[in-house]
């Protein structure tokens, strides 16, 4: 438990949190939408500082980040809590724990201990993931500062709902992010997630401006966000606002949590979505949880660059100068020539 950052005191001991776009106003004794920030006698505190609920060594490809030190390990950490309530959340047991179980579990692990564990395991990065890292900002920030001193990169896997104020504070330490673009209709965000689309788009653009390496993920859910026109609109946004080198991961949905009456995404939907992304001008579009190729090819000449299956890299042909060995076209990303 620790005093939170990024909040203001209002009249009558109420507080307003400026960590995410919900900007909750919280009465004394109350909690924000995420349920992990509490107004205690007019002071906002975070209930998840040093309360680690998950830590694993994952391939960076699992985040997914395909253009950031491919083949490296990401020391992956999370606390309980989320500012979204997606009906299809795969990690709802920990993301919705404070809201649904009215408790916050976690092991007391300091930022220094996380960095030491990441270094001992040989990881190239620390990934703040599984739940929404925005809601454990103070913990992730303190860890990220120490990680940078230890020459370990920092990666957010996020829903993109943080404020520009939070991102301004974090960005000197944040190297890469995978941002979920869960739909391209505000109505879907409101109905299924309890949020809005525009703040996510704003975050994506700001991350790009700040020089953070960004990859985008969209989980394709039948009849919810897989309309071709919606996907064309999303692809156009990524190309025009984030650039054609931005990787777009299009994953298959499988029934889970509160969305068990929707069938798995047909392979054909992923194929069509990939075609839409490429037709819009994106250089790197990948299918996830599917039979689609996971490999990276040169967008200019088609040469195989990084041969992947699932999260495993079989061959990396990218030159030491991060170019295609056949035609010399630059390969977008960071550390693409990792061996
Ligand atoms: S992080 Fe977001 S959801 Fe949580 S209290 Fe702050 S504004 Fe509300």
């Amino acid at each position: 438990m620790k005093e939170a950052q990024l909040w203001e005191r209002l009249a009558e001991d109420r507080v307003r949190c400026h960590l995410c776009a919900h900007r909750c106003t919280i009465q004394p004794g109350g909690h924000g939408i995420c349920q992990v920030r509490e107004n205690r006698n007019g002071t906002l505190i975070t209930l998840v500082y040093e309360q680690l609920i998950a830590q694993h060594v994952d391939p960076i490809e699992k985040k997914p980040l395909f253009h950031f030190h491919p083949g490296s390990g990401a020391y992956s950490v999370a606390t309980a809590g989320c500012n979204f309530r997606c009906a299809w959340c795969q990690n709802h047991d920990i993301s919705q724990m404070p809201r649904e179980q009215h408790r916050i579990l976690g092991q007391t692990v300091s930022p220094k201990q996380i960095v030491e564990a990441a270094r001992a395991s040989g990881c190239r990065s620390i990934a703040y993931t599984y739940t929404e890292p925005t809601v454990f900002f103070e913990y992730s920030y303190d860890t990220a500062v120490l990680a940078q001193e230890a020459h370990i990169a920092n990666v957010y896997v996020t829903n993109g709902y943080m404020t520009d104020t939070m991102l301004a504070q974090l960005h000197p330490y944040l190297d890469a992010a995978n941002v979920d673009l869960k739909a391209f209709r505000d109505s879907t965000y409101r109905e299924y997630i309890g949020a809005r689309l525009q703040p996510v788009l704003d975050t994506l653009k700001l991350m790009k401006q700040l020089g953070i390496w960004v990859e985008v993920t969209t989980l394709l859910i039948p009849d919810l966000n897989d309309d071709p026109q919606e996907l064309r609109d999303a692809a156009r946004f990524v190309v025009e606002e984030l650039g054609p080198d931005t990787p777009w991961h299009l994953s298959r949905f499988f029934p889970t949590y509160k969305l068990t009456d929707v069938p798995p995404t047909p392979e054909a939907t992923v194929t069509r979505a990939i075609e839409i992304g490429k037709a819009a001008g994106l250089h790197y579009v990948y299918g996830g949880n599917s039979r689609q190729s996971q490999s990276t090819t040169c967008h200019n000449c088609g040469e195989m660059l990084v041969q992947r299956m699932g999260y495993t890299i079989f061959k990396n042909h990218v030159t030491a100068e991060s170019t295609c060995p056949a035609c010399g076209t630059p390969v977008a990303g960071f550390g693409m020539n990792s061996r």
Side-chain angles (χ1 to χ4, degrees), residues 17 19-20 22-24 26 32-34 37 83 135:
C17 177
L19 197 48
C20 89
H22 287 308
R23 294 191 191 267
C24 301
I26 309 171
I33 288 171
C34 60
R37 293 166 89 74
N83 50 353
V135 307

Side-chain angles (χ1 to χ4, degrees), residues 6 16-26 31-38 44 82-84 99 134-135 161 163:
L6 305 177
R16 179 170 295 137
C17 177
H18 293 289
L19 197 48
C20 89
H22 287 308
R23 294 191 191 267
C24 301
T25 299
I26 309 171
H31 298 82
I33 288 171
C34 60
Q35 298 293 318
V36 300
R37 293 166 89 74
E38 179 181 317
L44 188 64
C82 189
N83 50 353
F84 278 13
R99 184 177 294 125
T134 300
V135 307
Y161 216 57
T163 58

Side-chain angles (χ1 to χ4, degrees), residues 35 96-104:
Q35 298 293 318
Q96 303 301 318
M97 176 187 281
R99 184 177 294 125
E100 295 182 346
Q101 301 176 29
H102 309 292
R103 60 179 182 168
I104 294 171

